[in-house]
Amino acid sequence: MAANTNGKRLSCNDSDLDSNEKRRTRAQTRKIRSEIFENPSKTKMTFMTWDVDPIVTQHIYDDLGVREILVEDDIVEKLRPTPPIMVNNGLFPPKPRKVETFHSHPGESRLRPLQQTTPCRWMSQKHHRQKNDATAGQVPWERLSDELLLSVFSWLNKRDLSRCMMVCSRWHNVGLDESLWGRIDLSGKALRPAALGYLVARGVAVMRLARTDVCSPVFHDEMGLNCMSVQECPLKLQYLDLSMCNIEVSSVNEILRLCCRLVKLSLESCSVSGETLRYIGQCADLDTLNLAMCTGIEEDHEAMAYMMQQCHKLTSLNIAWTNLNYPTLAAAVSNLPRSLEHLNLSGFRSLLTDEAVYMVVQRCPGLIELDVSDSSLLTPTTLETLINGLLSLRHLALSRCYHINTAYLVNLGAMQKLTTLEVFGILCEIGIANLRELMPRVKVNTRLFSTVARPTTGYRWTSIWGLKCPNM
């Protein structure tokens, strides 16, 4: 037991000696570190050198089959890399590095040069950033060019873009670029007075305003557009959809007076006037016009004739269910442009006659699509007129034309290019099946609604006339 006790005491004494030695070593290390940190220039440096016997070195070279290359000392100094710069974060004192150098002797052979380091230059992180970064303190967005900033803005929707334009004057000027406001969809929104005018003035070319509430006035007096002529107006609007829009007649006229570059226009279910038709006549490049179910133009035959005569590039026209009186309908039919290819004259129950259809065929022999549905005065004479006069007709709608004898419908098979035929309300299911057997090339009753001049058809709810509009 005594022996074991003595052994334990000896081991305890040894551990105490080791701990004391470690404490002294740590204290000495801390002292050296503090001296180097406070005054590194007066600190004595220890150097480590090593040497190899020249005879042994020569034997090694002979065994390897190589020859020694003597390098001058100044070349060695140039080849030595510069020591790295250490950065202190200011929380802890810097830890000294062990410095090594190499002293060369004349005639001494060396296998490789040793790396020489110098005392570290301590500096704070803030000083390092200010010294090496000339643009410190600047916002990175300010260093982007206008082209790069414009490219970033192009990925934003119009709501976020409007918010970015309120950051600073530079972002506001970049955000006004016309390429960012080319197409916009405000369907189902409620616009404050003059809001629509400010948007159109930004260079909008395609705008969808279906089911939108537009408050008057459209253009503010400060914009200076109300006193401009049509030739001086800078507006670039070309595609405009005002279908089922809650807007006053004066606001519609205000828009059309300044937007003379329109190519496609839809005023379906809107209230218009004869003055509106005259402003539409100023759009010389207009090729698509949708006036379906419009009110306010029933008795202005002069404005209707003027519009038809001026829009000589019109290819698609929809004036269905407009409740026109006979003089206004006659003025429209007798002045139809010869370039017309798609025409919808449905809804004139007791006004559209065989003579009116004959006038349509004489004015527009190149029609591709014709809809005369809900015209109860049409007779089989109309079918003969269509077969003999419209050789390029592909789509024909005769739905609910009850005075046309169903036996004459088979004669439409003589039209070589006819592909679809709508005869809803005329034939029963058995009669439709027989008609399909007699005319296998023609598709019967495939369209419930007409698509003539309408901006949005089918499932494409976010596009107008085939152009996609990003929602606001």
Side-chain angles (χ1 to χ4, degrees), residues 127-138:
H127 177 71
H128 176 74
R129 183 175 64 251
Q130 292 178 352
K131 183 177 180 180
N132 293 280
D133 191 359
T135 60
Q138 295 185 4

Side-chain angles (χ1 to χ4, degrees), residues 109 116 139 143 154 172 251 395 470:
S109 63
Q116 181 182 5
V139 181
R143 286 181 278 175
S154 63
H172 178 78
S251 298
H395 310 283

